[in-house]
């Protein structure tokens, strides 16, 4: 997701478009649209203990430290120059952002109603509907107690090029706030080492596809330009009623702590590939929709192409419109489930109405150590690792939750999904797509069930190979989460600290 290696981020250039009002880049927090530059990211979840002291510190000493999108943009050019000068040492480039949960807002602004029902209920209450496992008493089985405590009022995101720089800034912020807050949970994510930098723990390059934002992005071929109101309040494209004025230039942030069972996933791919009679590397690519290099199956269905994977001018230049028989890429593949591109274009639907309003901007980072030789040889995880998943949007139910519930977790998507578009195999039978084999959850009465996905075996070029993948378990296990609103810097300085 967002880190210093992501080529799109380094190359993004400012543009203004006639359809979109200029974005208040100095007001929008830096992680929302472009992403704070991060080799390390410390997530400090806190409870507000002393409201008046907290507000005073926020107004006088914290708000002005918060990193804006304008600063992030300037840093992109700084990083690009640094790299072009052949420098490999990280620049410290410390970033600070802050968001508040529903309980946090109630402390800061008693009358606050942010008009997002999912935000209002909170992430723990919403988790069962996303498919997170729970026991007979309704308790989320794998969630860390801190995320179940109802004590998280806010989060500081502290980012930077080095751990030392991040820790120094976090220490400074915490010492300013003193006893006005209590730290509930504190964890640092980091990009993976060496050649794995920019790749998530299963090994895939991450941060390849992000929506372009009107008024901000100069889009790469195939990258859709989307109204900023889908990600930031106060601009065209917003769903629902107009927000409170202080919500302008703010965004809802979904945080999910997602453990990844890396050796188990690798072992499953090996054994399933044996059963299905397919190369395991190709099987893995069919599950994601991309090769580990980032190259999309839609453009290179039979073999990886690392040059294509790394090239932002090519790696999103497809829309599945020429692959309506899922010959190149299965409908179930993670990137096709979460961004079906032109798959809805039948029956008068379009990407603009059916897909663009569902897009989110992702900004997560891996956490946890590399897989140890002992874990590798036992095919069993013994140290937690995964993804601190973060995404931004203006409607949690219509964007993040919709992707997870109505697309990833829905086996009859897209043939009988929202909106319903029947897809047929060449023999005329209706496609039963199955679950997203990466993030899909099939939970019945709180218990995870096995999952299926259509066409794991390459169906290219003839379309006459029929196969189904059976996944006996989930390889991604949610272990926590929280929903935040990340306000504008002006709101931090005024309404929220008054
Ligand atoms: Fe996903 N993975 O390693 O397989 N994701 N994801 N994701 N994801 C993407 O385009 C992954 C998660 C999206 O526009 C890639 O950056 C993992 C959640 C969306 O083409 C890879 C986890 C949700 C896209 C992964 C995880 C999403 C996307 C391809 C959890 C939302 C863009 C590289 C541990 C509900 C789709 C890239 C598009 C891409 C992986 C979580 C959504 C490799 C490991 C929870 C919208």
């Amino acid at each position: 997701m967002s880190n210093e290696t992501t080529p799109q981020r380094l190359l993004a250039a400012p543009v203004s478009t006639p359809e979109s009002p200029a974005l208040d880049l100095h007001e929008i927090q830096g992680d929302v649209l472009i992403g704070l530059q991060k080799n390390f990211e410390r997530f400090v979840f806190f409870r507000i203990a002393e409201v008046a002291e907290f507000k005073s510190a926020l107004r006088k000493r914290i708000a002005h430290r918060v990193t804006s999108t304008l600063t992030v943009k300037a840093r992109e050019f700084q990083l690009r120059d640094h790299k072009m000068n052949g420098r490999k040492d990280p620049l410290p480039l410390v970033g600070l952002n802050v968001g508040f949960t529903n309980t946090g807002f109630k402390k800061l602004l008693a009358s606050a109603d942010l008009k997002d029902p999912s935000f209002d209920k909170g992430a723990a209450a919403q988790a069962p509907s996303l498919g997170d496992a729970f026991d007979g008493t309704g308790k989320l089985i794998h969630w860390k107690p801190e995320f179940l405590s109802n004590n998280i009022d806010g989060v500081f995101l502290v980012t930077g090029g080095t751990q030392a720089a991040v820790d120094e800034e976090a220490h400074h912020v915490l010492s300013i706030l003193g006893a006005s807050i209590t730290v509930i949970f504190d964890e640092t994510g980091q990009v993976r080492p060496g050649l794995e930098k920019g790749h998530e723990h299963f090994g895939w390059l991450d941060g390849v596809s992000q929506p372009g934002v009107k008024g901000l992005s100069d889009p790469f071929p195939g990258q859709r330009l989307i109204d900023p109101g889908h990600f930031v309040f106060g601009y065209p494209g917003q769903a629902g009623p107009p927000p409170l004025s202080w919500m302008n230039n703010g965004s809802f942030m979904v945080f999910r702590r997602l453990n990844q069972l890396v050796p188990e996933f690798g072992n499953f791919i090996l054994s399933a590939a044996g059963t299905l009679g397919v190369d395991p590397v190709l099987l893995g690519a069919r599950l994601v929709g991309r090769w580990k290099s980032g190259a999309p199956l839609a453009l290179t269905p039979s073999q990886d192409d690392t040059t294509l994977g790394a090239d932002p001018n090519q790696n999103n230049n497809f829309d599945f419109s020429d692959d309506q028989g899922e010959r190149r890429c299965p409908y179930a593949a993670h990137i096709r489930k979460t961004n079906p591109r032109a798959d809805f274009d039948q029956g008068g639907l379009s990407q603009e109405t059916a897909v663009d309003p569902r897009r989110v901007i992702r900004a997560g980072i891996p956490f946890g150590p590399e897989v140890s030789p002992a874990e590798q040889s036992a095919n069993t995880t013994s140290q937690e690792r995964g993804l601190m998943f973060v995404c931004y949007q203006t409607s949690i139910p219509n964007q993040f939750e919709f992707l997870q519930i109505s697309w990833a977790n829905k086996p009859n998507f897209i043939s009988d999904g929202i909106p319903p578009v029947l897809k047929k195999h060449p023999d005329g039978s209706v496609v039963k797509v199955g679950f997203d084999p990466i993030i899909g959850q099939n939970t019945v009465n709180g218990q995870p069930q096995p999952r299926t996905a259509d066409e794991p075996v390459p169906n290219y070029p003839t379309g006459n190979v029929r196969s189904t993948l059976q996944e006996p378990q989930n390889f991604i296990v949610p272990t926590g989460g929280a929903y935040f609103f990340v306000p504008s810097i002006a709101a931090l300085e005024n309404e929220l600290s008054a």
Side-chain angles (χ1 to χ4, degrees), residues 293-310:
S293 70
L297 288 180
L299 297 180
T300 176
S302 307
Q303 61 188 36
D304 198 354
D305 179 340
T306 51
T307 309
L308 168 56

Side-chain angles (χ1 to χ4, degrees), residues 13-66:
V15 289
S16 58
T17 60
E19 320 92 287
S20 181
L23 295 165
D24 295 331
L25 298 184
H26 59 291
E27 292 294 1
I28 302 167
Q29 295 199 42
D31 207 39
V32 177
L33 294 177
I34 301 181
L36 294 166
Q37 287 83 9
K38 52 188 83 156
N39 283 341
F40 296 85
E41 179 168 24
R42 194 161 154 184
F43 294 78
V44 183
F45 300 92
F46 62 90
R47 186 175 81 83
I48 301 171
E50 302 287 346
V51 177
E53 284 81 348
F54 177 79
K55 283 187 171 189
S56 166
L58 181 63
R59 185 172 59 252
K60 294 184 191 144
R61 299 188 61 195
I62 300 288
H64 73 271
R65 301 184 77 85
V66 170

Side-chain angles (χ1 to χ4, degrees), residues 200 204 206-209 260 334 338-339 341 362 389 476:
E200 51 68 54
W204 270 264
D206 210 345
V208 182
S209 170
Q260 290 175 253
H334 177 57
T338 54
N339 182 7
R341 294 178 166 79
R362 293 170 298 131
F389 176 85
I476 290 177

Side-chain angles (χ1 to χ4, degrees), residues 85-99:
N85 289 335
R87 301 281 299 274
K88 293 213 160 75
D89 55 315
L91 290 170
L93 297 181
V94 166
L96 175 69
N97 275 191
V98 61

Side-chain angles (χ1 to χ4, degrees), residues 114-116 119 231 233 247 250-254 391-396 483-486:
L114 281 67
K115 298 193 169 66
D116 183 292
F119 173 78
F231 313 110
F233 283 98
M247 285 174 71
S251 182
F252 285 110
M253 169 189 153
V254 166
C391 73
Y392 295 96
Q393 58 260 286
T394 44
S395 168
I396 297 174
Y483 291 163
F484 299 94
F485 184 74
V486 172

Side-chain angles (χ1 to χ4, degrees), residues 27-28 68 99 105 139 150 152 164 194 204 223 228 264 274 279 283 301 311 315 402 416 418 430 438 467 495:
E27 292 294 1
I28 302 167
S68 71
F105 275 103
K139 181 171 174 289
N150 219 19
I152 295 175
W204 270 264
Q223 185 184 27
E264 290 86 343
D279 172 44
L283 176 61
D311 181 359
N315 60 20
F402 186 92
D416 184 21
I418 305 173
V430 172
I438 303 297
S467 58
E495 290 86 348

Side-chain angles (χ1 to χ4, degrees), residues 176 220 245 273 345 372 378 405 490:
I176 290 172
F220 290 100
S245 61
D345 279 17
S372 70
I405 298 168

